[in-house]
């Protein structure tokens, strides 16, 4: 990982997120938000021409410089001056490769840029010659600069002056040693640097000021404001970049108008609580007015943000000024006042109730004052517009914002241009002349226009601003704005000059701002007991748990603790506990793991971890399937000189499997899988192979193993037989289909003549192996005379399609019954056999369908399962003229003709050759291409053939009934898996278990010189003893006829017989199917509690395990598993399978590393960790196919951060908990007991879902609880108590939070064990000493504790209280839509309850029982109750803002939301302080008491004057 920031170059557009045209405000905001990446930011400008000369922003630690134009302050030029401080790339190609973070060298990174050839050949491509800049001193030893320009980007290369020649080829010149690597780089807007530099700072910008607006994918964004035109009379016209102007009329324009035209404000500053309500730009239709313009800041606040300092200060990124207008004292109106801050446009708009009209300019050309007859004085409207000048010296005030404005000359009646670029001296003189004679007196004029001095600190605002005001402000009112009434410069930092309807605040030229003032406000000590900071009196959560995942080193420690150590601990300490066995379906030891492995293994781990939480002892031993074709194919590729020697192949294969196991084991462990990693079982271990052979021996003794010549699936690409489980099907296979006719003798018109039997086949290559033709005796057939093909026979049902292959004009001669044809014979048309004239039978077969083909079926018993069974009944032996490679053998035709087919692959050239033979004798009627479902080799993905070979079969038909009976007692998840597995078992009679491979367990068969097989219990048992003593490799290394492998008793009986060992190996499904031998058996129950694999294992491992287990155990209808769980496959977001060719493969490593998250491809991703992979598995409904995509992973990432923030909060509030380890229920308040009731319900429900294996529902319930019950209700209710209270009241909340903290860890433990380990690592000491580790605790212990707090009466009250909370929230939203309130504490609530009829719940009594806690429970300032309709009387609250009526089981309740009547407490922000208290010193009774206590116990928190007063 690089230790440098990584940015992508986009010529003519951007460097990373720095986009040309962006505003200085936006760029600085982004840079300051990442101090770890951009630690130093220097801003410089011209003190004499701040609005003309460019503004330069330098980042020395990052090696680049940004230039902004003066008038508009937009980014115009990006310069890279040092290539060694930022990792730069273009189209994902690095310009210069910087050292990695773990590099051992201590040297500073190279200062050099890319060489010319890298730029010219790899990055940018060819271009035109550039410009050479000679050095000032033209001596030969000096170096000049060569500027190489492309559209939007230019490089400068140092070049020895002595090498320069105008006639030289610049490519050769810059490629020579005379040129050095690039010294700098510039990104600009233009075709070339030569052309762009002429008007670089004046040309129109192609991109908007806001970086957010420059991003792609936005359907609608408000247009940018280019110029504000002031017409006077409270009219301001905003000229826009591409759309028509928008006119603001002060006193009439509503907030809805502003949002519709300008979009939601970037922030809302509320004067009554000094907090921002940040609005993110939402997707909307143009000019649409939306929603609540004053959303509560408390609701948008992160519930788990442990640093609330910003919420308790008036220093913020908003512009507002204290307005001492008399109406501000009226709380009913001041709560609605706010500033709409439009940062990117460079102005703010004040929203309040209207006052008097704004005066027009005193000229005949002034715009007429808009009529005021329609003004609604009780409606919120725009009453001020603040336009920020933002000259560079005023940066501390207005956050680098600037708007350009002009006073309309016609409206003002001036000949001179008065705008934002005009010096204030000129502007002031013009306005004085303009308004001369308009004042009531000289005193009024002097009072308005005299300078008022303000002492602005860093963070105060606005600065260098121009206000357009509604109404007239006289000198006395205006003076109140300043901190001094003195005339002249004074000691302040800015001055205010006033004119009717306008105010100008101007920065004093001699001002300097010390850095230590940044972010501070001065305040006067009004109360004797005043803390140094109010924040110091709060119990803000403080936790050492980091906001992001711990370092890799710590993660490895957590992994070891929650996997290896935890597994060892439970094996040692729970020896007397019930055992839970999950038997591992072995992954194939071949190559790296994929996302399907993660789904499978993590599901198993979650299952085991939940059982561990139930108090059980876990037995989970991982296993690997090590034999099989894919590994052997790799081994063949690595064997010396492509040998086919079995020992060499086996040696290479074992080495490959061993390496793959090591790689896979490391990956499994990194996923947090808890298992016995030190003792895995492997199918290539001798102990496993011996137990497998013992199972095979038992099946031999029971007569279940037989050798037969029978058709099997044969893979020419693998040169081996395959079982059904190794076959997959493709729906789009194309076969060459053909209609051919076989001749038979038939009497027509009393004469014997030849007639053709028409058959249709999709495998013409099997025609040489034809032994019969099948018909259905129950069908009717037609004798047809075709002009082209003569007399033929087809089924009556095939007549509609007959013209397609027989042609037009055929006639029907007669009907022939199928039963008659089944007694006849036919002949070979092309002489495939030596006795070509030997008749072949026509046979009846039920499988002949009237709906497919011609009703006559060509039968080749050597190449078809049904064909084989039919011929077996009639004593017809299979004929298979095809070799192991899928080519015709020399048996295909008589010796004199076999050259026509011999050696040709049957699926292509062989098919063509066969059809040519039939066509040569007139037997081919038609050929065509047929698309259909066809079997393929699951490993090589090549088509199969069916071929009769001598193979070993397991006669599973004998144990089928027992196997099916055993499945009745198995619990299937999902339930549909039962029918699926039973269907596979019921339809399987035989199992081909032999494979023609070297890498596997040998079938212990011996063969005589004549090829006769010897396989008896006696011979097999003797071979097993030899394997024990010599090892499995000796089967291939010993001499083929070594007599030691033959049992002595057999040698004694047949002394002259010589036996050789067979070379076939067992099907790998037989290997893994006997893995149950690795588990302990008690003889009374299934050895495994759970088998868990993909749904494809119904026809694979599940089936082979069941059949071998039933075969091994006598008369025991019991499966090797009690529960069988299946999961689906992993698909992409479009529902497609993962495929390298499609490019949609997602690896588990990518999820863990976070590279799929937004920004991940640029190296800015945040590591997600193994818990993210596990969380994705848990949230997926694995009973069907599951999907994974970056969008899904983003949801996972957000959820995981939510858990981390939750634990960070709970740990933070528990750090100083000194209460008892337990409390009695009656000691807790209603809110705490309600929280424990909610927790108990969730805890039981999650337990149920875990028990059912429904992990997605368990996680969904946990998420619901965290968001709704914990965050939405309990934390919101007790936040005040946790932050503000002292003593027993706070300890109750902490005790409740401790229980929640412990139970939440237990619920999440099976899914996110690494997070739980990390939380434990940061837990307070008393938690570690008083409670068990959360991954070791037993679920029932928590449940018992929660049951102690179950309160049946409170459980009946909870629905009533929940409905009341919903009703209050609804009423608050109504008030917010009217812009009447912000956060919930900004209101008082009256609950009016209608008298009931006695049958429903006693709602009023319920409210009365919890009266003292209702305000905290509902997160409001005051709650009053009214059950009579009379009301609580006067003075308890202000005017009503909104109401909501709701029903509680037939009882009507109305929630009335009122404005508070009391003052806002400066410490807790609830409106509970005395109304007459000073605004900056108002404390409620609760906070007053706490402050007095703290002054005695922690006097260091208070200002010296307060301490002295206390001491006195």
């Amino acid at each position: 990982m690089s230790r440098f920031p990584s940015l992508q170059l986009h010529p003519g557009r951007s460097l990373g997120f720095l986009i040309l045209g962006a505003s200085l405000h936006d760029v600085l905001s982004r840079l300051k938000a990442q101090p770890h990446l951009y630690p130093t930011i220097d801003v410089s400008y011209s003190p004499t021409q701040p609005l003309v000369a460019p503004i330069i922003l330098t980042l020395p630690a990052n090696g680049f410089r940004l230039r902004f134009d003066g008038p508009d302050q937009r980014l115009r030029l990006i310069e890279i001056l040092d290539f060694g401080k930022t990792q730069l790339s273009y189209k994902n190609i690095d310009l210069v490769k910087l050292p990695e973070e773990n590099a051992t060298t201590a040297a500073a990174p190279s200062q050099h840029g890319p060489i010319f050839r890298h730029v010219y050949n790899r990055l940018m491509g060819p271009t035109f010659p550039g410009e050479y800049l000679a050095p000032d001193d033209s001596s030969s030893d000096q170096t000049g600069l060569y500027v190489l320009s492309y559209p939007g980007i230019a490089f400068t290369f140092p070049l020895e002056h002595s090498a320069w020649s105008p006639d030289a080829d610049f490519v050769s010149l810059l490629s020579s040693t005379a040129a050095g690597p690039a010294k700098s780089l510039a990104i600009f807007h233009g075709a070339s640097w030569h052309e762009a530099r002429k008007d670089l700072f004046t040309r129109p910008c192609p991109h908007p000021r806001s970086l957010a607006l420059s991003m792609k994918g936005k359907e609608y964004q408000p247009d940018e404001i280019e110029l504000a035109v002031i017409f006077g009379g409270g009219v301001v016209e905003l000229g826009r970049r591409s759309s028509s102007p928008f006119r603001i009329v002060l006193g009439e324009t509503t907030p809805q108008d502003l949002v519709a035209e300008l979009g939601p404000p970037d922030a809302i500053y509320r004067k009554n609580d000094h907090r921002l309500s940040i609005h993110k730009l939402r997707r909307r239709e143009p000019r649409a007015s939306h929603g609540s313009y004053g959303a509560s800041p408390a609701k948008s606040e992160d519930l788990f943000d442990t640093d609330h300092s910003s919420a308790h200060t008036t220093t913020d990124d908003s512009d507002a000024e204290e307005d001492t207008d008399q109406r501000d004292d009226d709380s009913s109106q001041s709560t609605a006042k706010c500033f709409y801050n439009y940062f990117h446009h460079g102005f703010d708009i004040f929203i309040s109730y209207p006052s008097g009209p704004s005066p027009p300019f005193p000229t005949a050309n002034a715009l007429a004052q808009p009529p005021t007859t329609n003004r609604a004085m009780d409606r919120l409207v725009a009453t001020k517009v603040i336009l920020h000048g933002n000259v560079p010296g005023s940066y501390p005030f207005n956050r680098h914002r600037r708007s350009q404005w002009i006073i309309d000359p016609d409206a003002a009646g001036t000949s001179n241009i008065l705008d934002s670029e005009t010096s204030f001296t000129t502007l002031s003189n013009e306005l004085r002349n303009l308004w001369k004679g308009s004042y009531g007196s000289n005193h009024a004029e002097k009072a308005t226009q005299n300078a008022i001095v303000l002492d602005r600190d860093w963070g105060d605002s606005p600065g260098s601003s121009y206000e357009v005001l509604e109404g007239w402000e006289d000198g006395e009112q205006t003076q109140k704005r300043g901190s001094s009434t003195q005339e002249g410069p004074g000691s302040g930092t800015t001055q205010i000059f006033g004119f009717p309807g306008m105010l100008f605040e101007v920065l004093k030229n001699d001002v300097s701002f010390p850095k230590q003032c940044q972010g501070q406000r001065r305040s006067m000590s009004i109360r004797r007991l005043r803390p140094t900071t109010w924040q110091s009196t709060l119990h803000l959560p403080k936790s050492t748990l980091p906001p992001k995942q711990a370092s890799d080193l710590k993660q490895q420690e957590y992994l070891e603790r929650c996997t290896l150590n935890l597994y060892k601990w439970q094996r040692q300490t729970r020896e007397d506990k019930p055992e839970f066995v999950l038997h591992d379906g072995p992954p194939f030891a071949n190559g790296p793991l994929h996302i399907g492995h993660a789904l499978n293994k993590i599901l198993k781990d979650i299952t085991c971890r939940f059982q561990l939480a139930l108090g059980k002892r876990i037995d989970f031993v991982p296993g690997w399937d090590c034999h099989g074709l894919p590994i052997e194919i790799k081994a063949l590729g690595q064997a010396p000189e492509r040998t086919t020697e079995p020992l060499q192949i086996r040696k290479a294969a074992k080495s490959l499997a061993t390496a793959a196991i090591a790689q896979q084991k490391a990956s499994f462990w990194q996923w947090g899988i808890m298992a016995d990693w030190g003792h895995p079982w492997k199918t290539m271990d001798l102990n496993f192979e011996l137990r497998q052979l013992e199972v095979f021996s038992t099946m031999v003794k029971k007569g279940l193993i037989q050798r037969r010549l029978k058709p099997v699936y044969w893979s020419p690409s693998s040169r081996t037989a395959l079982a059904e489980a190794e076959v997959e099907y493709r729906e789009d296979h194309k076969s060459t289909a053909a209609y051919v006719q076989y001749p038979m003798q038939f009497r027509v018109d009393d004469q014997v003549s030849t007639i053709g039997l028409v058959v249709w086949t999709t495998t013409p290559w099997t025609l040489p192996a034809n032994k019969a033709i099948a018909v259905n005796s129950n069908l009717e057939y037609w004798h047809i005379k075709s002009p082209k093909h003569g007399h033929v026979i087809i089924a009556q049902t095939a007549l509609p399609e007959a013209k397609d292959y027989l042609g037009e004009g055929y006639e029907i001669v007669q009907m022939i019954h199928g039963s008659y044809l089944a007694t006849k014979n036919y002949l070979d048309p092309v002489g495939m056999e030596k006795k070509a004239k030997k008749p072949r039978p026509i046979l009846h077969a039920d499988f002949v369908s009237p709906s497919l083909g011609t009703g006559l079926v060509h039968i080749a018993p050597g190449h078809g399962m049904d064909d084989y069974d039919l011929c077996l009944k009639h004593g017809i032996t299979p004929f298979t003229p095809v070799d192991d490679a899928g080519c015709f053998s020399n048996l295909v035709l008589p010796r004199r003709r076999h050259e026509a087919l011999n050696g040709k692959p049957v699926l292509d050239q062989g098919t063509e050759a066969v059809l040519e033979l039939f066509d040569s004798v007139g037997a081919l009627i038609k050929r065509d291409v047929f698309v259909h479902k066809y079997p393929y080799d699951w490993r090589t993905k090549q088509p199969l053939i069916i071929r009769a070979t001598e193979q070993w079969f397991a006669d599973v038909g004998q144990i089928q009934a027992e196997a099916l009976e055993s499945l009745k007692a198995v619990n299937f998840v999902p339930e549909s898996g039962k029918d699926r597995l039973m269907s596979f078992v019921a339809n399987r009679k035989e199992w081909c278990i032999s494979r023609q491979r070297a890498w596997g367990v040998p079938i212990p068969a011996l063969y005589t010189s004549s090829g006769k097989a010897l396989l008896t219990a006696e011979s097999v048992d003797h071979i097993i003893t030899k394997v024990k003593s010599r090892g499995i490799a000796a089967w291939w290394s010993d001499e083929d006829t070594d007599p030691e492998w033959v049992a002595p008793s057999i040698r004694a009986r047949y002394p002259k017989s010589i036996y050789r060992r067979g070379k076939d190996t067992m099907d790998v499904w037989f290997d893994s199917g006997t893995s149950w031998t690795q588990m302990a058996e008690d003889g009374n129950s299934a050895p495994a509690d759970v088998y868990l694999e993909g749904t494809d294992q119904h026809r694979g491992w599940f089936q082979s395990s069941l059949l071998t287990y039933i075969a091994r155990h006598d008369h025991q209808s019991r499966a090797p598993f009690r529960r069988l769980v299946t999961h689906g496959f992993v698909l992409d977001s479009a529902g497609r399978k993962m495929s390298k060719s499609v490019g949609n493969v997602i690896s588990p490593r990518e999820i863990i590393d976070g590279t799929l998250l937004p920004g991940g491809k640029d190296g800015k991703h945040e590591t997600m960790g193994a818990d993210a992979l596990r969380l994705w598995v848990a949230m997926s409904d694995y009973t069907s196919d599951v999907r994974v995509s970056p969008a899904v992973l983003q949801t996972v990432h957000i959820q995981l951060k939510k858990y981390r923030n939750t634990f960070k909060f709970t740990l933070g509030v528990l750090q100083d908990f000194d209460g008892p380890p337990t409390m009695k229920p009656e000691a807790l308040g209603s809110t705490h007991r309600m929280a424990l009731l909610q927790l108990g319900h969730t805890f039981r429900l999650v337990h149920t879902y875990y028990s059912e294996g429904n992990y997605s529902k368990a996680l969904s319930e946990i998420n619901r609880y965290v968001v709704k019950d914990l965050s939405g209700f309990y934390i919101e209710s007790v936040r005040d108590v946790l932050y503000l209270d002292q003593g027993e009241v706070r300890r109750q909340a902490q005790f409740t939070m401790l229980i929640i903290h412990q139970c939440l860890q237990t619920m999440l433990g099976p899914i996110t064990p690494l997070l739980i380990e990390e939380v434990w690592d940061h837990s307070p000491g008393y938690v570690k000493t008083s409670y068990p580790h959360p991954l070791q605790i037993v679920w029932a212990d928590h449940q018992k504790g929660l049951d102690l707090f179950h309160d049946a009466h409170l459980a009946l009250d909870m629905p009533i209280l929940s409905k009341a909370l919903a009703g209050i929230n609804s009423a608050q939203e109504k008030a917010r839509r009217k812009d009447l309130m912000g956060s919930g504490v900004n209101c008082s609530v009256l609950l009016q309850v209608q008298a009931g009829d006695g049958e429903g719940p006693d709602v009023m009594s319920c409210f009365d029982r919890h009266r003292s806690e209702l305000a905290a429970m509902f997160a409001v300032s005051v709650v009053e109750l009214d059950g009579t309709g009379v009301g609580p009387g006067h003075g308890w609250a202000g005017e009503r803002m909104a109401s909501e009526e709701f029903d509680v089981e037939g009882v009507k309740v109305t929630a009335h939301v009122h404005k508070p009547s009391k003052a806002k407490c400066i410490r807790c922000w609830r409106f509970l302080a005395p109304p007459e208290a000073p605004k900056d010193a108002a404390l409620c009774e609760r906070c007053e008491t706490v402050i007095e206590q703290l002054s005695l116990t922690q006097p260091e928190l208070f200002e010296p004057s307060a301490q002295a007063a206390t001491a006195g």
Side-chain angles (χ1 to χ4, degrees), residues 984-1108:
F984 280 120
V985 174
N987 292 321
R988 191 173 199 176
K989 303 298 182 184
E990 289 184 325
W991 174 9
C992 178
I993 62 171
S994 55
R995 298 292 181 271
Q996 290 66 52
R997 312 306 311 174
W999 179 231
V1001 177
I1003 290 181
L1006 303 173
Y1007 296 87
T1008 65
S1009 55
S1010 63
K1012 183 179 180 181
L1014 173 66
L1015 184 73
T1016 64
E1018 182 183 16
S1019 67
V1020 173
D1021 288 344
H1022 176 74
I1023 290 171
I1024 291 174
T1025 63
K1026 291 301 176 185
V1027 171
K1028 287 181 181 178
S1029 61
R1030 298 188 179 190
I1032 201 77
W1035 183 265
W1036 283 273
S1037 62
D1038 289 355
E1039 289 292 331
D1040 283 352
T1041 56
D1042 187 345
E1044 288 298 314
W1045 289 92
V1046 183
S1049 58
I1050 296 176
R1051 279 183 283 164
R1053 287 198 302 271
Y1054 308 103
K1056 294 183 179 180
S1057 297
I1058 298 175
Y1059 294 93
R1060 61 175 178 82
R1061 297 184 304 282
K1063 301 304 180 186
D1064 289 349
T1065 56
M1066 292 190 201
D1067 178 12
V1068 290
W1069 291 117
F1070 199 99
D1071 292 10
S1072 59
T1074 55
S1075 62
W1076 50 262
T1077 60
Q1078 306 301 300
M1079 296 182 286
E1081 293 189 74
D1082 59 11
N1084 298 317
S1085 61
D1089 291 281
V1090 172
Y1091 271 38
L1092 190 158
E1093 294 300 325
T1095 185
D1096 56 331
Q1097 297 306 318
H1098 286 114
R1099 58 201 292 261
W1101 187 61
F1102 293 155
Q1103 200 178 157
S1104 64
S1105 298
L1106 174 67
L1107 295 174
T1108 56

Side-chain angles (χ1 to χ4, degrees), residues 691-704:
R691 294 189 183 188
Q692 178 179 335
L693 287 169
E694 288 169 359
V695 173
F696 183 85
S697 176
T698 301
M699 296 177 70
V700 171
K701 293 170 184 175
K702 291 184 175 182
L704 297 177

Side-chain angles (χ1 to χ4, degrees), residues 265-269 276 318-319 339-343 347-348 401:
D266 300 302
I268 295 178
Y269 180 90
L276 283 174
S318 172
D319 281 343
F339 278 90
Y340 273 23
N341 302 128
Y342 288 95
F343 296 150
F347 57 78
D348 303 326
R401 287 177 260 159

Side-chain angles (χ1 to χ4, degrees), residues 576-597:
D576 59 338
K577 302 300 181 184
E579 193 107 342
F580 176 82
V581 181
L582 192 152
H583 187 49
D584 193 21
F588 205 61
N590 180 35
L593 300 175
H594 54 69
I595 193 71
H597 289 110

